Amino acid sequence: MRIGEVASRAGVSVRSVRYYEDQGLLVSTRSAGGQRQYTEHEVERVRFLQRLYAAGLSSRTIAELLPCVDSPSQGNSDAALDRMAQERDRLSEHIADLVRTRDALNDLMTAARDYRDTEFA
């Protein structure tokens, strides 16, 4: 199938499919006329990549995880689990930073309301 059909069936843009190829996350064959050709496997691969992106992973991190999918082994699985744990820890720290920022903003809003209520009461 051609790139437009893969994109449509996977629920992404043609640009996304091209990007995945540029990043080495997806491979196509080329027709005699130079058009990209894909199989059903690539549709599933694009859907899988979308789930990884939705989990907050970068292209580089996804590329590090793909050997576990493409060449399953104990070593590749262990490496993928370690990498996912690192990403989870990074996301947890980011969430904690966001919570601290939100709490600081709430404190500022409380102070501003208190000031408003005493000054303009």
Side-chain angles (χ1 to χ4, degrees):
M1 71 185 80
R2 292 174 50 184
I3 193 168
E5 185 176 351
V6 170
S8 177
R9 291 185 55 205
V12 301
S13 67
V14 168
R15 185 176 180 180
S16 291
V17 176
R18 286 189 187 112
Y19 176 78
Y20 300 155
E21 254 192 270
D22 290 344
Q23 297 299 306
L25 306 175
L26 184 68
V27 177
S28 66
T29 58
R30 296 286 179 148
S31 70
Q35 293 182 329
R36 291 175 171 94
Q37 299 286 316
Y38 301 92
T39 66
E40 185 64 33
H41 172 76
E42 282 79 34
V43 173
E44 292 306 315
R45 175 78 161 216
V46 169
R47 289 178 181 152
F48 177 67
L49 293 172
Q50 283 296 111
R51 288 193 302 273
L52 294 173
Y53 278 112
L57 303 179
S58 68
S59 296
R60 190 177 82 189
T61 300
I62 292 170
E64 292 174 16
L65 297 176
L66 289 178
C68 181
V69 175
D70 297 335
S71 302
S73 70
Q74 181 72 39
N76 285 343
S77 293
D78 290 344
L81 286 167
D82 288 345
R83 188 65 179 103
M84 286 187 282
Q86 290 171 5
E87 283 300 306
R88 182 200 54 218
D89 294 346
R90 181 189 64 79
L91 289 170
S92 293
E93 184 57 37
H94 184 62
I95 290 166
D97 288 344
L98 289 171
V99 167
R100 285 189 289 275
T101 301
R102 183 202 57 207
D103 292 347
L105 183 58
N106 282 337
D107 292 345
L108 287 171
M109 291 172 68
T110 298
R113 282 188 191 104
D114 290 346
Y115 177 79
R116 180 198 62 198
D117 293 347
T118 58
E119 285 296 312
F120 303 108

